[in-house]
Amino acid sequence: MTQLEKLRLPLVVAGLLVFSNLLIVVSSYRVGVGRADCTGPPVEIGFMGYAEFSQRGHGIHLRQFSRAFIFEDELGERVVFVSADAGMMGHAVKRDVIDLLQKKYGDLYRFENVVLSGTHSHSVPSGFLMSFLYDIASLGFVPQNFNALVEGITLSIVRAHESMQEGRVYVSETEVFDANINRSPSAYENNPKEERMLYKDYTDKKLVQLKLVDSQGNPLGAINWFAVHPTSMNKTNCFLSSDNVGYASILLEQEMNPDSLPGQGKFVGAMAASNLGDVSPNVMGPKCEKTGLPCDLLTSSCPSGTGSCTASGPGKDMFESTKLIAKRIHNAASKLLRSKKTREIRGPIAYAHKFIDMTTAVVPYYNRTTQRKEEVHGCYPAMGYSFAAGTTDGPGAFDFRQAMLTDTTFWNTARDLIAVPTTDDIACHAPKPILVASGRTTFSYETQPKIVPVQILLLSDFAIAAVPAEFTTMSGRRLRKTIEGASLVADGKKVQVVIAGLSNMYTSYVATPEEYAIQRYEGASTLYGPHTLTIYLYHFKKLMKALVNRRRVEEGPSPPFEDYKQITLSTGVVYDGHPFRMYFGDVQDQPKETYMRGDTVQASFVAGNPRNNLMHEKTYFTVEKLVGDDQWKVIATDASWETKFKWIRKSTLFAYSDIEFEWETGPETAEGIYRIQHFGYWRYILGGTYPYNGTTRNFSIL
């Protein structure tokens, strides 16, 4: 402990730090923003989210980006928040990011002052979590995707570090309507009526924005927290996509960085995950697939022969729905950026972090039924029957339904072939019937985590609660209320709390005990039993009190290091071939000579496998406009909304591949002469990868 730390007294009041003989006013910040490409392998790899084995990437619609924000007070305390276009965040990803940062900056960045949050898009590659159940859709661990995330996230933080400057931070909020609904209303309604009456809606409509500006007041970046599942792109989609919140981020950045391509420009705008557990963007609600009639409210099931219970909307297809939801979120964030109704954050920065073994955690609990205090404990991880039923955003398979409270001999027999739950497990998880006893498996590495992180970043009176799971609407409301209450008790000052979902590690869902009792998908996916939320509330309350009182927090047990145990069944690229008398980059199908605005331009190329090079900070395709006698300007890339490319394996034996490229023109597309370029790498059968490119003929837009 330094001499200055020894002098510090446990008092924080209205932005003042008090020392024994010294008074320091903490009134301003240094801030930095950074963004980097973190796109994973766009083809041949399973997507994370729906756990649908048939949903394997075959191209790109929207690239993945990592967006980093650094805050530092006048005393040198520094915190980092990162929102990445990833399904969620993995502990090993954060560990390796911290390792890379410490090699460059020493111990400036550590587990306790860095939060990595995933947006939760269901259309991005999996295979990076190092937990057997979560990586199963990609047939195990995928080093290429893991490395893409680690390197991209690290680069975004490095860029934020290098852009540090004097600045100010403001917070504001608004409401976004017609962008989310509760997909498990029957579970939500099992929460106490007096608690539900405190809130207008079954989902949180509030969007909270943290705006960073430079010393002249020019916007540098913004973090927006809004609760919605990025599941506008459904499980039939095979284009890599950051979904609704990813596109909302791009819209905000392109608005603030005029004439910049996606992923470029000074302003960095993130749409970060919050308590989205039971929140769907499919606002037209669930209906039976073949009849269009409403599904059963409790079980989300349909009569035999009428198809699955699936939610959709607000558009005519998943692409239009993604765009509409994204625009609604973007419009709200854009208005806040220009609003005068903001509150400046001025005060010291602090942070707290702790690991908890959920299988041994014992915490106090007030039982509303008995009106008595008792002790409750966590359970070994397990998934319930309704987990296999899926959700109305992506229904499951077989005869599983949501809200299943009884088991069957058939599925129990199948379950026991993998792992047998103990009598204590069954009692601990009740009323959940256990379908996957993930905590009892004997694979070489963990099926699901047992040790989880909890973390708070505190910017004066603004608290970011980083949770390693998908908290439901009411779980998030209880967590915010608990942290607010802890600050009042300890300091007499109420903090404003946002929940940063899917941060630092992934552990499925967290439903309230009342929602858990209904056993819809969210309750069945609550890993550590009915009092999972109770344990989190207890430890976040302790974290907040420790922060206010400037007490050190014990780090707790570390998650196991299991890198060397990972199973990888996804094969790499062996070699690429090309048809006789053709070469990589040659145009198979040329665009037409002339198009009208609103037409879709199409072309195809002889291609190598896109996994040969992920083209970070680059692009597989450019759409270029002739702006002079011989000057071409790039007006769209493979990260642009209006473009898509699809990779097609033509021959497995000879490794022939094509890439089909589409560019949707619109009413704002300028008249002129255009061309399309394709960039890639091909792999030689004896080793090595080599670059190539191809260019279409010129064509006109009229």
Side-chain angles (χ1 to χ4, degrees):
M1 181 178 291
T2 66
Q3 193 65 29
L4 188 62
E5 287 172 325
K6 292 178 181 178
L7 290 172
R8 183 178 294 177
L9 295 177
L11 181 62
V12 182
V13 181
L16 304 182
L17 282 184
V18 182
F19 298 88
S20 57
N21 295 308
L22 187 64
L23 180 68
I24 299 179
V25 180
V26 181
S27 60
S28 66
Y29 293 130
R30 294 181 71 235
V31 295
V33 298
R35 176 183 50 245
D37 192 341
C38 63
T39 303
V43 300
E44 300 184 308
I45 301 300
F47 288 162
M48 183 65 208
Y50 296 114
E52 183 75 27
F53 285 96
S54 62
Q55 191 189 23
R56 307 184 72 77
H58 64 203
I60 290 180
H61 183 214
L62 295 174
R63 276 186 174 263
Q64 298 171 259
F65 293 101
S66 172
R67 297 172 172 91
F69 305 83
I70 301 179
F71 307 85
E72 183 182 72
D73 66 19
E74 292 177 349
L75 298 178
E77 293 290 4
R78 180 179 292 213
V79 294
V80 181
F81 180 82
V82 174
S83 177
D85 292 327
M88 57 282 296
M89 198 46 59
H91 169 73
V93 172
K94 181 174 180 179
R95 180 203 65 207
D96 281 16
V97 167
I98 297 295
D99 285 347
L100 288 174
L101 291 172
Q102 291 188 344
K103 288 176 182 176
K104 191 174 181 68
Y105 303 116
D107 66 351
L108 184 61
Y109 301 111
R110 307 176 300 282
F111 264 96
E112 58 264 33
N113 69 346
V114 175
V115 168
L116 306 185
S117 175
T119 60
H120 200 38
S121 168
H122 283 40
S123 294
V124 292
S126 60
F128 61 91
L129 291 173
M130 296 195 183
S131 295
F132 183 82
L133 189 63
Y134 297 139
D135 288 342
I136 196 169
S138 57
L139 303 179
F141 181 64
V142 181
Q144 190 177 32
N145 193 31
F146 180 87
N147 293 334
L149 286 172
V150 169
E151 292 165 10
I153 291 169
T154 303
L155 180 57
S156 69
I157 297 173
V158 168
R159 286 175 172 167
H161 177 97
E162 293 175 348
S163 75
M164 293 291 287
Q165 59 186 288
E166 295 299 320
R168 306 177 86 164
V169 180
Y170 297 87
V171 63
S172 57
E173 58 187 49
T174 188
E175 290 188 314
V176 185
F177 297 100
D178 300 323
N180 64 17
I181 61 171
N182 194 306
R183 69 186 187 191
S184 288
S186 56
Y188 179 86
E189 288 172 354
N190 203 45
N191 290 306
K193 183 177 180 180
E194 62 272 19
E195 182 180 35
R196 288 186 280 117
M197 293 297 290
L198 298 173
Y199 306 97
K200 292 188 300 181
D201 297 294
Y202 279 32
T203 60
D204 287 335
K205 305 297 184 183
K206 187 180 294 183
L207 183 148
V208 179
Q209 182 180 97
L210 209 58
K211 179 173 68 174
L212 296 75
V213 303
D214 64 18
S215 55
Q216 282 74 49
N218 302 309
L220 295 173
I223 313 170
N224 302 274
W225 286 275
F226 180 68
V228 66
H229 249 88
T231 48
S232 291
M233 302 296 290
N234 63 44
K235 68 179 185 178
T236 68
N237 170 58
C238 290
F239 288 104
L240 190 151
S241 171
S242 55
D243 212 292
N244 45 42
V245 293
Y247 185 42
S249 296
I250 290 173
L251 287 171
L252 189 64
E253 290 178 338
Q254 290 193 296
E255 176 191 354
M256 301 302 294
N257 300 313
D259 300 320
S260 291
L261 295 166
Q264 298 180 15
K266 181 179 179 181
F267 180 90
V268 177
M271 302 292 172
S274 190
N275 54 318
L276 50 72
D278 52 0
V279 186
S280 170
N282 296 306
V283 293
M284 289 169 60
K287 294 181 173 58
C288 295
E289 190 176 16
K290 295 181 181 179
T291 64
L293 296 175
C295 314
D296 180 76
L297 183 65
L298 177 62
T299 64
S300 292
S301 60
C302 293
S304 178
T306 61
S308 61
C309 174
T310 306
S312 62
K316 65 180 183 295
D317 59 29
M318 60 182 168
F319 291 99
E320 185 179 51
S321 293
T322 300
K323 179 183 281 191
L324 289 172
I325 295 296
K327 285 187 174 181
R328 291 169 188 178
I329 299 170
H330 157 254
N331 288 341
S334 176
K335 288 177 183 177
L336 283 185
L337 273 180
R338 291 164 173 76
S339 174
K340 302 295 183 183
K341 296 180 180 179
T342 61
R343 177 175 68 85
E344 184 173 5
I345 296 175
R346 300 163 66 93
I349 286 174
Y351 43 84
H353 177 280
K354 182 181 179 63
F355 286 114
I356 305 162
D357 187 337
M358 297 294 281
T359 67
T360 60
V362 179
V363 300
Y365 174 68
Y366 178 75
N367 190 318
R368 294 172 185 264
T369 303
T370 62
Q371 296 186 339
R372 295 176 60 182
K373 286 186 177 181
E374 56 189 57
E375 282 193 337
V376 295
H377 57 88
C379 314
Y380 269 69
M383 305 292 271
Y385 269 57
S386 297
F387 155 71
T391 71
T392 54
D393 290 336
F398 303 109
D399 57 347
F400 293 101
R401 296 185 176 190
Q402 296 200 57
M404 291 185 71
L405 294 173
T406 56
D407 53 12
T408 69
T409 302
F410 175 81
W411 287 114
N412 282 356
T413 302
R415 172 199 68 194
D416 293 349
L417 294 175
I418 301 171
V420 181
T422 66
T423 303
D424 287 344
D425 291 338
I426 294 170
C428 188
H429 280 276
K432 176 200 290 181
I434 296 175
L435 179 65
V436 182
S438 51
R440 299 296 179 182
T441 57
T442 56
F443 296 123
S444 62
Y445 58 100
E446 280 191 328
T447 301
Q448 289 177 301
K450 298 181 180 70
I451 296 171
V452 307
V454 291
Q455 184 178 14
I456 296 176
L457 304 183
L458 189 63
L459 283 68
S460 183
D461 61 351
F462 185 84
I464 302 172
V467 298
E470 303 175 55
F471 275 50
T472 63
T473 299
M474 192 61 84
S475 292
R477 289 169 174 172
R478 289 185 189 177
L479 179 58
R480 288 197 297 265
K481 195 171 182 179
T482 295
I483 295 173
E484 290 168 0
S487 70
L488 276 170
V489 169
D491 191 37
K493 184 176 66 174
K494 185 177 180 180
V495 297
Q496 181 178 356
V497 183
V498 295
I499 294 169
L502 301 111
S503 293
N504 303 326
M505 180 185 283
Y506 185 61
T507 60
S508 292
Y509 284 73
V510 177
T512 68
E514 295 86 354
E515 292 165 348
Y516 184 95
I518 301 300
Q519 279 298 291
R520 281 182 60 85
Y521 178 85
E522 295 81 14
S525 302
T526 297
L527 291 190
Y528 310 107
H531 288 289
T532 300
L533 176 62
T534 310
I535 297 169
Y536 277 118
L537 296 181
Y538 174 80
H539 284 284
F540 270 103
K541 182 177 181 179
K542 289 186 66 176
L543 281 189
M544 190 65 225
K545 286 185 176 180
L547 278 174
V548 172
N549 293 317
R550 295 281 163 173
R551 292 199 308 267
R552 184 176 179 274
V553 176
E554 293 294 330
E555 187 64 8
S558 296
F561 181 89
E562 298 188 316
D563 297 37
Y564 64 96
K565 298 179 179 179
Q566 297 302 304
I567 296 172
T568 302
L569 298 180
S570 178
T571 58
V573 181
V574 179
Y575 73 99
D576 291 296
H578 55 82
F580 182 62
R581 291 185 177 177
M582 300 195 78
Y583 194 68
F584 300 106
D586 285 354
V587 182
Q588 291 268 43
D589 297 297
Q590 291 281 4
K592 295 187 298 185
E593 292 185 359
T594 304
Y595 294 88
M596 303 298 292
R597 286 175 176 167
D599 290 344
T600 297
V601 180
Q602 296 178 315
S604 67
F605 299 80
V606 177
N609 193 312
R611 290 179 63 191
N612 291 327
N613 189 308
L614 301 182
M615 305 295 282
H616 285 164
E617 308 291 313
K618 300 177 184 177
T619 179
Y620 291 105
F621 285 91
T622 56
V623 178
E624 302 173 5
K625 184 178 186 296
L626 187 64
V627 294
D629 292 338
D630 59 355
Q631 296 294 314
W632 293 90
K633 178 183 178 182
V634 177
I635 59 101
T637 68
D638 65 15
S640 301
W641 173 267
E642 60 268 25
T643 67
K644 300 184 189 77
F645 82 76
K646 182 177 181 180
W647 178 79
I648 302 170
R649 172 71 78 187
K650 291 287 189 177
S651 168
T652 302
L653 178 61
F654 298 107
Y656 296 170
S657 302
D658 284 357
I659 286 184
E660 296 177 352
F661 179 79
E662 291 184 0
W663 172 44
E664 294 182 9
T665 65
E668 66 286 339
T669 304
E671 294 182 1
I673 306 298
Y674 292 83
R675 71 181 185 186
I676 295 167
Q677 285 210 74
H678 165 46
F679 306 89
Y681 282 74
W682 64 277
R683 181 173 294 278
Y684 184 42
I685 193 169
L686 298 180
T689 57
Y690 302 91
Y692 70 87
N693 73 285
T695 307
T696 66
R697 68 184 179 188
N698 298 349
F699 57 93
S700 300
I701 303 291
L702 302 179

